[in-house]
Amino acid sequence: SLYRERERARAGEEQRENPKQTPCCQHRLKPRVLKELQLGAGLQALSLKGKRGLGAIFQDQVVNTRQYLEHVKDSTTGTQGRVVKLFTNHFRVTSRPELLTYKYNIDYMPEIEDGKVRTDLLCQHKHVIGECHIFDGNSLLLPHKLQNRWGKKIVKVTIEFCSELKPTSLDCLRYYNILFRKILKMMDLKQVGRNYYNENEATEFLNHKLVIWPGYSTSILEYETSITLCADVNHKLLRMQTAYDLIMHVDNKSQRKDAKEISKELVGSIVFTKYNNRTYRVDAINWEETPRSTFKKSGGEEITFVDYYKEQQHGLVVTDLTQPLLVSKGKWKKSQQDTPHEPIMLVPELCYLTGLTDEMRKDYRVMRDLAMHTRLDPEKRQHELRRFMNIVQNAQRELQLWDLKFDPNFVSFSGRIMKEVRILQGSRAVRPFQSDWSKETRSGPLLNVKSLDHWLVLYPRRNYGAALSLLQSLRKVTPTMGIAMRDAKMLEVNDTVQSYTTILENHVSSKTQMVISFLLSFKVLCVLSSDRKDLYDGIKKYLCVNCPIPSQCVVARTLDKPQTLMTIATKIAQQMNCKMGGALWKVEIGLRNAMFVGIDCFHDIVNRRKSIAGFVSSVNQELTQWFSQCVFQEAGQELVSGLKACLEAALKLWYKHNLFLPQSIIVYRDGVGDGQLQALIEHEVPQIRSSLKSNGFLSIHVTSDTRFAMLFFLSENKLTCCIPVLCDSRYDFFIVSQSVKDGTVTPTHYNVIHDTVHFTPDGIQCLTYRLCHMYYNLSGVIRVPAPCHYAHKLAYLVGQSIHQEPHYSLASRLFYL
């Protein structure tokens, strides 16, 4: 499909412009570039082959999800709401090649693997292929046809005719993207991953030891009936600290960190090497090897890391010859989880740290200063993109060779502002103020309250005051919300997982409703002295698997500010009420006897554990109770294989609560890339259909990708639904459900892939928007429908902390909030 091809194009470009072998990999090192270029110097002839058949022609197979949806055959555009003019970060291609272009496959004998060398060898023959050409490392696109009149000499470069491409061919988009990336390089931008950054305009934060590189992400794609350039502003955050600095860091007591502490900080982090502009994930530290260690190059000769960087990496000098080496296993790919990979060895001194530490995220000044440069409001974002397009226009020569021209103005279209959704809480109807109704939720009775009669509060001795303050605040806020709360049993613990679990074993009974830990847990409430992951994970695992009781964990530090204590206590009380089976509010969905399902997956790319698929489904018609189940899968597996069993269990619970089966089932599937859309239709949709008889079934694919559209409002920044049709073969739309004070909202893209309920465009758009109001962990509108986010929270908790199937008795509780 168009979307799969775009993903393949992106992957292909990145692979060819950044070959897999790296100069710091002792097992992946290829023959020296110099040697290959010397070999290529003798290249004096080419070999040209004719067309070898249809097998070499790119044939687009569009995933046509609209062809069977007769009820939207004429139009997928809604009409409800007030029409407003919007514009997006797309720029139309106003001119492109109108004649046939010719595609050739390029082969080398002997094989040359380095993409740059392949390009240099081919470019020695510009007198043959011409100045106007696009080469991706394997195939060549020309505006003219070559003539067969060459022989062969030292290196045989075979140019094999593949196909003629019409101007409207989607395969041309891949070459246009390659051409545009060439222009970005001419603008002196450095490629890091998929995006390009301007090191010369970097902003340094000396107080925080941070550097931000401004940059851009771009993609040329088909939009409605034309081709557009989608561009957005991007930022790369680097630290003025190398991995070596972290290893050699001395604490306040003038003591060096031990190997265990260093590994804890470094392993799993991402480092950046400036000599090749690449990022690597640190998987381990090799304390036995140093820069003096040797490795064998592919030619068989041995060389030390020190000599290699000095001789072959622009004279880089490694100063500390006793430092250990970092180990990276390379980029993890879902399709290659069982394939053994040789490690990449990195010298810490040459590896810059990226991202923010936990301490930095807690520092208000750091986050404030970064936000000022990275959170661009629509006006600033427009300004930066206009400046970018002006620079692009200066690269006229490369563009003119292919007759490519871009409209410097943003693409505009019509959107619609949706009607506000009423929030029903008890006997009251609340209208949100700027997408928020937190004040209203704490000023009156909740929709369905659960009394807190038997519950425990666990706290370390030094956090007794914080625990006591929280309890006092809870007593003040719960009566207004209608929650009856008896005194909790307070238990002192040591700051270890074993201490928490031992106390729980001795005091939890069948009557216990909640545990709060400081950290905090319900019916068990646990107050934690810090946000240590091992402590949180241990408590959650015990209370979700071994002793299934709703729990709430609270970090004591969050209770230090008296001015926010009442707000925090309100949030905790509401969460406790939800986890015990209560409900905060509801909205008028406008659809009766319908079950809503959310599906999302969690992949642990750091520890490479099993992937977790989270499945949640509504139990009642008010959408205030939810059933949940997890499916454990192979690492990296996105498509879910156990949906039939999950849906059958969900239908049984629905029938138990309602005494009838739902008439329709609406599934929101998050987390699947557009490249997997056809596989999703073939693998998951049949599982759901096989569990249904006469039920209507609607499946919606949910994505949030700024490569499609980033909306800018001309006059208002309100809740907006806009429907740009990306492809005539799709029944899709965008919704911007949130309103933000800072930055620019990313729209969420919805694609209806199966519909036997026969929703109208207005019906499904309004329904989806209303579901964004039903997430109980926020008194406001969220970016995606509540079922999606519940499934995400479930999969994340199980994948990050529990690593086991939660106890079945918690399946009908929102224990994962």
Side-chain angles (χ1 to χ4, degrees):
S1 72
L2 162 67
Y3 302 94
R4 284 207 306 272
E5 177 59 12
R6 184 167 65 249
E7 291 301 311
R8 287 197 298 268
R10 283 178 168 275
E13 293 158 18
E14 182 177 354
Q15 180 180 6
R16 289 158 190 142
E17 296 180 27
N18 294 287
K20 286 184 179 179
Q21 65 271 16
T22 63
C24 46
C25 173
Q26 68 178 61
H27 302 284
R28 295 185 189 176
L29 287 172
K30 305 300 176 184
R32 288 175 58 179
V33 172
L34 178 61
K35 186 176 181 180
E36 290 184 327
L37 287 174
Q38 290 172 344
L39 179 66
L43 175 63
Q44 298 176 1
L46 303 173
S47 173
L48 185 66
K49 287 187 179 181
K51 186 175 180 179
R52 65 179 177 187
L54 292 175
I57 300 177
F58 168 77
Q59 294 176 326
D60 179 49
Q61 297 179 356
V62 175
V63 183
N64 194 332
T65 58
R66 188 177 169 187
Q67 58 183 327
Y68 302 114
L69 306 178
E70 292 292 332
H71 59 292
V72 290
K73 191 173 183 179
D74 296 329
S75 175
T76 61
T77 303
T79 58
Q80 293 184 11
R82 179 165 57 87
V83 177
V84 291
K85 186 178 180 181
L86 305 173
F87 56 95
T88 180
N89 57 331
H90 285 236
F91 305 88
R92 292 192 189 279
V93 176
T94 57
S95 174
R96 58 174 170 157
E98 295 299 331
L99 301 175
L100 290 175
T101 52
Y102 302 89
K103 180 179 176 181
Y104 292 84
N105 290 330
I106 308 297
D107 295 318
Y108 294 81
M109 185 68 68
E111 178 63 31
I112 306 294
E113 294 194 28
D114 189 287
K116 185 177 185 303
V117 175
R118 292 169 71 95
T119 300
D120 291 341
L121 289 174
L122 186 65
C123 286
Q124 291 180 17
H125 296 273
K126 285 185 179 180
H127 63 284
V128 175
I129 62 176
E131 186 74 24
C132 183
H133 66 272
I134 302 175
F135 181 55
D136 68 359
N138 289 313
S139 60
L140 176 72
L141 188 70
L142 297 174
H144 57 272
K145 202 168 185 177
L146 295 177
Q147 301 299 318
N148 188 355
R149 60 170 183 258
W150 299 287
K152 62 177 182 178
K153 286 198 175 180
I154 297 177
V155 175
K156 181 180 179 181
V157 179
T158 302
I159 302 180
E160 180 180 14
F161 180 66
C162 178
S163 63
E164 294 178 350
L165 300 181
K166 295 180 180 180
T168 56
S169 171
L170 294 178
D171 202 11
C172 290
L173 292 180
R174 183 164 64 89
Y175 292 100
Y176 296 159
N177 276 290
I178 295 170
L179 176 64
F180 199 82
R181 285 174 176 252
K182 183 179 179 180
I183 292 173
L184 295 178
K185 287 183 178 179
M186 293 171 58
M187 294 166 57
D188 200 24
L189 300 180
K190 297 183 182 298
Q191 183 181 10
V192 182
R194 290 179 175 177
N195 303 325
Y196 285 77
Y197 300 92
N198 191 341
E199 183 181 8
N200 299 325
E201 294 185 4
T203 301
E204 295 185 350
F205 300 88
L206 298 178
N207 293 339
H208 312 314
K209 296 184 178 180
L210 295 173
V211 180
I212 290 181
W213 286 9
Y216 306 94
S217 59
T218 64
S219 180
I220 297 177
L221 48 90
E222 188 176 52
Y223 170 81
E224 290 185 333
T225 58
S226 63
I227 292 178
T228 67
L229 166 67
C230 178
D232 195 15
V233 180
N234 209 292
H235 296 89
K236 187 69 181 176
L237 178 64
L238 303 175
R239 283 149 63 182
M240 297 180 185
Q241 181 185 24
T242 64
Y244 175 78
D245 296 331
L246 190 149
I247 292 172
M248 302 302 294
H249 178 72
V250 177
D251 62 20
N252 295 331
K253 298 179 181 179
S254 300
Q255 294 181 346
R256 288 269 303 275
K257 297 178 181 178
D258 58 27
K260 186 176 180 180
E261 288 181 288
I262 294 172
S263 296
K264 186 176 179 181
E265 289 191 53
L266 266 182
V267 173
S269 64
I270 304 297
V271 296
F272 175 72
T273 50
K274 290 186 176 181
Y275 52 81
N276 62 354
N277 290 322
R278 295 198 65 178
T279 57
Y280 303 89
R281 183 170 58 82
V282 179
D283 293 300
I285 302 176
N286 188 334
W287 297 94
E288 305 300 323
E289 295 196 49
T290 69
R292 287 176 174 157
S293 301
T294 61
F295 62 91
K296 285 186 178 181
K297 298 195 291 185
S298 58
E301 65 272 27
E302 289 194 351
I303 188 172
T304 65
F305 287 93
V306 176
D307 292 338
Y308 173 78
Y309 283 105
K310 186 174 182 179
E311 296 173 9
Q312 301 186 19
Q313 288 296 340
H314 308 290
L316 290 176
V317 178
V318 178
T319 57
D320 188 343
L321 304 183
T322 63
Q323 61 186 298
L325 298 181
L326 307 181
V327 181
S328 176
K329 296 179 182 178
K331 295 204 173 173
W332 180 73
K333 295 183 179 179
K334 298 176 183 178
S335 59
Q336 300 178 356
Q337 58 262 28
D338 297 325
T339 304
H341 297 280
E342 296 294 344
I344 298 171
M345 310 301 289
L346 301 161
V347 177
E349 191 176 321
L350 304 177
C351 298
Y352 286 85
L353 301 174
T354 66
L356 298 173
T357 64
D358 291 338
E359 289 72 21
M360 289 178 178
R361 287 190 173 90
K362 297 170 189 174
D363 191 325
Y364 166 76
R365 292 169 299 175
V366 173
M367 302 309 294
R368 177 199 60 197
D369 293 345
L370 292 180
M372 290 177 62
H373 285 79
T374 59
R375 287 187 185 177
L376 304 182
D377 60 30
E379 290 74 21
K380 289 182 180 179
R381 194 177 292 268
Q382 292 173 54
H383 173 76
E384 289 298 321
L385 289 177
R386 285 197 181 98
R387 187 167 73 97
F388 171 70
M389 289 304 297
N390 289 336
I391 299 174
V392 169
Q393 298 299 329
N394 294 331
Q396 289 294 330
R397 183 174 180 275
E398 290 292 330
L399 294 174
Q400 286 175 354
L401 288 175
W402 288 94
D403 194 28
L404 271 178
K405 296 180 182 178
F406 298 95
D407 187 340
N409 299 312
F410 296 101
V411 172
S412 63
F413 53 89
S414 295
R416 292 173 290 116
I417 294 182
M418 308 288 284
K419 184 180 178 181
E420 281 189 343
V421 177
R422 290 196 310 160
I423 307 300
L424 305 178
Q425 182 178 321
S427 58
R428 301 186 308 157
V430 176
R431 291 197 177 276
F433 175 71
Q434 294 186 346
S435 310
D436 182 272
W437 55 91
S438 54
K439 291 183 179 179
E440 288 76 7
T441 56
R442 61 173 179 258
S443 61
L446 302 177
L447 182 66
N448 181 18
V449 296
K450 297 291 182 180
S451 61
L452 201 54
D453 299 323
H454 304 281
W455 57 303
L456 308 177
V457 175
L458 279 63
Y459 61 92
R461 174 176 294 182
R462 65 178 178 274
N463 299 125
Y464 173 74
L468 202 59
S469 297
L470 177 60
L471 290 179
Q472 292 171 350
S473 299
L474 286 173
R475 291 191 187 99
K476 293 178 181 178
V477 300
T478 50
T480 307
M481 294 184 287
I483 301 175
M485 187 184 79
R486 292 187 179 181
D487 290 339
K489 186 175 183 179
M490 300 187 67
L491 301 170
E492 184 179 305
V493 296
N494 295 324
D495 209 7
T496 64
V497 175
Q498 183 62 43
S499 176
Y500 276 94
T501 55
T502 300
I503 294 294
L504 289 171
E505 286 175 0
N506 295 333
H507 292 86
V508 169
S509 68
S510 58
K511 292 183 178 181
T512 307
Q513 296 171 291
M514 178 69 67
V515 178
I516 301 187
S517 308
F518 274 87
L519 281 192
L520 261 176
S521 322
F522 305 150
K523 291 237 184 153
V524 180
L525 175 64
C526 301
V527 180
L528 304 185
S529 59
S530 67
D531 52 0
R532 281 171 42 200
K533 186 178 185 301
D534 62 321
L535 192 57
Y536 177 85
D537 292 352
I539 294 171
K540 281 295 182 182
K541 183 175 182 178
Y542 180 80
L543 291 169
C544 290
V545 178
N546 306 99
C547 181
I549 296 176
S551 61
Q552 178 74 22
C553 292
V554 177
V555 179
R557 185 183 62 254
T558 61
L559 307 174
D560 290 342
K561 297 180 180 179
Q563 63 270 26
T564 62
L565 188 55
M566 296 298 288
T567 301
I568 293 172
T570 301
K571 293 282 294 180
I572 291 173
Q574 292 175 353
Q575 276 197 344
M576 292 167 65
N577 188 66
C578 292
K579 293 183 180 183
M580 291 189 296
L584 305 185
W585 62 79
K586 66 178 181 179
V587 299
E588 296 173 340
I589 295 297
L591 184 65
R592 300 291 298 173
N593 302 335
M595 173 190 284
F596 292 85
V597 174
I599 305 171
D600 197 6
C601 289
F602 169 81
H603 305 290
D604 188 347
I605 62 173
V606 175
N607 300 307
R608 301 181 182 178
R609 293 189 177 99
K610 285 184 175 293
S611 292
I612 310 297
F615 175 98
V616 301
S617 63
S618 57
V619 174
N620 61 353
Q621 298 195 54
E622 296 180 328
L623 309 188
T624 60
Q625 297 181 38
W626 297 84
F627 165 78
S628 63
Q629 191 168 336
C630 289
V631 179
F632 284 73
Q633 308 192 120
E634 291 302 315
Q637 181 180 337
E638 178 64 44
L639 300 179
V640 186
S641 299
L643 288 182
K644 183 176 181 180
C646 290
L647 186 57
E648 289 175 350
L651 288 171
K652 287 179 181 178
L653 189 59
W654 171 281
Y655 185 82
K656 181 179 178 181
H657 278 73
N658 302 280
L659 301 180
F660 58 84
L661 290 174
Q663 292 180 354
S664 55
I665 296 176
I666 293 89
V667 179
Y668 287 89
R669 178 61 163 98
D670 202 355
V672 177
D674 285 298
Q676 294 178 290
L677 188 56
Q678 184 62 46
L680 176 73
I681 295 171
E682 295 173 352
H683 185 73
E684 293 189 1
V685 172
Q687 294 183 65
I688 298 175
R689 292 185 63 182
S690 65
S691 301
L692 308 178
K693 294 181 180 179
S694 59
N695 313 68
F697 166 42
L698 172 72
S699 182
I700 302 176
H701 176 219
V702 184
T703 58
S704 179
D705 195 334
T706 55
R707 285 173 291 175
F708 294 138
M710 177 72 76
L711 304 183
F712 303 107
F713 303 95
L714 287 179
S715 58
E716 302 176 74
N717 192 16
K718 293 187 177 181
L719 308 177
T720 304
C721 174
C722 52
I723 303 92
V725 180
L726 291 180
C727 183
D728 288 338
S729 61
R730 291 193 171 197
Y731 176 14
D732 59 352
F733 55 93
F734 285 99
I735 291 182
V736 179
S737 56
Q738 297 170 297
S739 176
V740 298
K741 296 178 181 178
D742 302 315
T744 310
V745 178
T746 300
T748 302
H749 179 222
Y750 299 90
N751 181 19
V752 180
I753 61 176
H754 187 88
D755 182 10
T756 59
V757 183
H758 298 146
F759 270 108
T760 63
D762 279 322
I764 190 58
Q765 291 161 17
C766 291
L767 175 66
T768 300
Y769 174 55
R770 289 172 181 272
L771 287 174
C772 296
H773 296 69
M774 283 300 296
Y775 180 60
Y776 281 161
N777 216 19
L778 177 71
S779 301
V781 188
I782 62 173
R783 184 178 53 83
V784 297
C788 278
H789 209 46
Y790 283 143
H792 168 76
K793 293 286 286 187
L794 171 66
Y796 186 84
L797 175 66
V798 175
Q800 276 280 14
S801 301
I802 301 177
H803 310 299
Q804 285 183 241
E805 181 76 28
H807 197 276
Y808 69 89
S809 65
L810 295 176
S812 59
R813 303 287 185 89
L814 294 172
F815 67 94
Y816 41 83
L817 285 185

